[in-house]
Amino acid sequence: MIGIVVVSHSRALADAAVGLASEMVASDNRPVIAVAAGLDETTFGTDAAAVAEAIATADGPDGVLVLLDLGSAVLSAEMALEFVDPETAERVKLSSAPLVEGLVAAVVTASTGATLDAVLAEAGRGLAGKQEHLGDAAPDEVGAIGSAEQLTLEVALGIEHGLHARPAAKLVGVVGQFDAVVTLRDLDTGRGPVDAGSLSRVATLNAQQNHRLEFAASGPQAAEALEAIRELADRGFDDTAEAEPSAQPGGVLAAGGGGAGNAQPDAAAAGGASGAGTSGAGTSGAGTSGAGESGADESAVAPLAGGSGLDVAVGPAAVVRGDVDLSGYLPGDHEVERERAEQARRAAEDQLLRLRDATAGRLGVGEAGIFAAQAGLLGDVAVLDPVFRSVAQGTDAATAWKQALDSLAETFDGLDDPYQRERAQDVRSVRNRVLRALTGAAEPVEPAAGSILVVPELDAATAASVDGGRVAGIAVRAAGTTGHGVIVARSRGIPLITGIGDVAVEDGATVGFDARTGSFVVEPDQRAFELTIRERTGERDVALAAVDEPATTLDERTIPVMVNVGSVQDARDARGADGSGLVRTEVLFGDRRTPPTAAEQAAAYREIAAALGGKPITIRTWDVGGDKPLRFLPQDAEANPFLGDRGLRTFRRRPELLATQLEAIREVAAETPVQVMFPMVTTAEEVAWALQQLGPRPDGLKVGIMVEVPAAALRIETLAAGLDFVSIGTNDLTQYTTAADRTNTAVAALADGLDPAVLRLIDRVVRQVPLGVHVAVCGDLASDPLAATLLVGLGVQELSAVGPQVPLVKAKLRQVSAVDAAMAAATALTLDSAAAVRQRL
């Protein structure tokens, strides 16, 4: 018999619910019921440790069902699964059923000896009797589920970002063509079934790549509907925009020459370390997403001129602020508000469809699909029902629309997948469009020529409609580089930086940004920025013309220039890379709540290798710490996480997670060129332990370590003995050498990789590494074309840069001789400051 756990904020509520449920079955046939509720007898709250203890109490060979009330109870239960041993966790199911009704149904069903899945399903139907009696069917009720007359279809979801808004809109459009009731269930997560004709239900199902989807259909045209869905699935749900996201007009350099970079350089270049780390930005973090959209009058599409394709811009700020102001809205009676709500819906839908058509002709059907999906929300019954139900109950139209779309945006914000979370921007964009139609608010004014648009978050309509030939660039307060607005701006080559945070900017103030360095500056040296723009324009033209040529110096020394990647998309976007010198696995799987299996990891590594044409890839094992934890590996807060339990040190406590990763790496290494490297290594004993965990390696698998701490550089002779390569992580090596936290704006300027002390450590590694051990650099210095020449002069044999910089680094190396670079490096070692080295370069 299964066990049951009740998680509630209130001890009294939990005890009462258990008492009620227990009355339904005889005491000698009652399942074990454990309670984890309240922080004590009277204090409301939930405790993950208490939930873990309750799970242990209720656990048995048949499994455990956990029922919860709301809010943090869900988070506490999820965290508790990290505290119990993995075998126990696999036997636990969390139920979204209503606590009281679900508990009664679960206890009765469990008493019959039913399986865990059967009890879970029955608990989920706990409200059915009450709803049927009161004639109040749940909004999610889709009918015909489990009917003998249903036909079913199972498909594998192949598209990278899962069934997000655009492909979901395609699916809903197909379903709507047939006289059939179609439901959708994610077989891998157990979520659903949901109404396949509801865009919001389908999109928030959160079905991910490689998940198995089950469609069930009933009605006169059930067979035809399933056949049309099968054809759509075979076409990848027509998700063409994501298939080729780097296709850009005018030969724009890889995602706008880096112009879509986040204003947190270490998040891009060092695996996502927290904090802004900006140079001269005057901001200490990425900031939170603004609620409003920005841009010109999207209903009358502006000339869709392309941008410069650069990663730097300067000009007066055109600042867009906040939500649509509802304070002046004057509600009417019920009938007036209902008519207003419908008129606003139609007006917003009409604007979006016109924007879709205009965008299709200028950018392509992929980008146009963004607006088709947004328009689809305005016809979605799951959105419209709560709006008009609320209006019928006396709420004014503006408030009803705002509440309904805010709720849907919050649902997207809470999803696991970061790409899916950024779809909340689309919902907020639709919300603001409807609210402007309701209130008569003026469309945002077209920014002045040469200005930089400063927006809370970048919605697709703004990115598509703003005149790229008129604005100098766009600065986005919210972090994130996969939002639909960012995708559109990339495709147009508009200079762009994201994640500038809450830095104060007055309208009209001169601002400048350099996405390559992650800096956003108020009242900058304008002439310096203009000079940089001219230089970058020339660099870009030269680099693009020879993007696939090797980086061979004037004296015929060829340096492999690899790319640092944290996703499959990073690998696809890379142009001219000779492989990947760093696959950041903690970024690749960083949003997982549960550890990825060996098969899941191997599939991702294969995709990266395939995206790079089978060239070598270097996979770094989990690199985590208190400052950048994995969601499936909670870590205690540390007073100084950079000097704490991080990198390889962490996995000496959790070797099973490392063992699974190494299993996947060995599997892929048998098929394609792979190197594996271990991060945060300090002692030879740690290296020996890591090699022991690796076990027997397939032919061709090369093994190395990261050199990130001075101790490793100073004992490289013994540390690297028996290895194939070492890769210097200049970001951490710099901060440890200079004792300056690179994410602390008060001291970040000290953490300069060109400091002669750092260069001397690099020089020592190159000179003292055992014979035959290859030396690479995968830190931020390798992404700087000038610094790259210095590294080559020091004797580094391989560089790995962020994607947009690869063509530029290769182009720079072709302009120098290795001999001249060596002479410059020798001089740099004798200088007294990073500034002096930079000036000499």
Side-chain angles (χ1 to χ4, degrees), residues 131-158:
Q131 289 170 337
E132 182 177 355
H133 179 79
L134 296 175
D136 181 23
D140 285 310
E141 192 68 48
V142 294
I145 296 175
S147 166
E149 299 179 0
Q150 280 188 315
L151 302 176
T152 61
L153 168 70
E154 182 177 325
V155 302
L157 187 60

Side-chain angles (χ1 to χ4, degrees), residues 263-266 274-281 283-285 517-519 742-745 748:
Q264 298 173 308
D266 292 317
S274 63
T278 56
S279 174
T283 176
S284 61
T517 62
S519 64
R742 64 179 188 265
T743 69
N744 184 335
T745 55

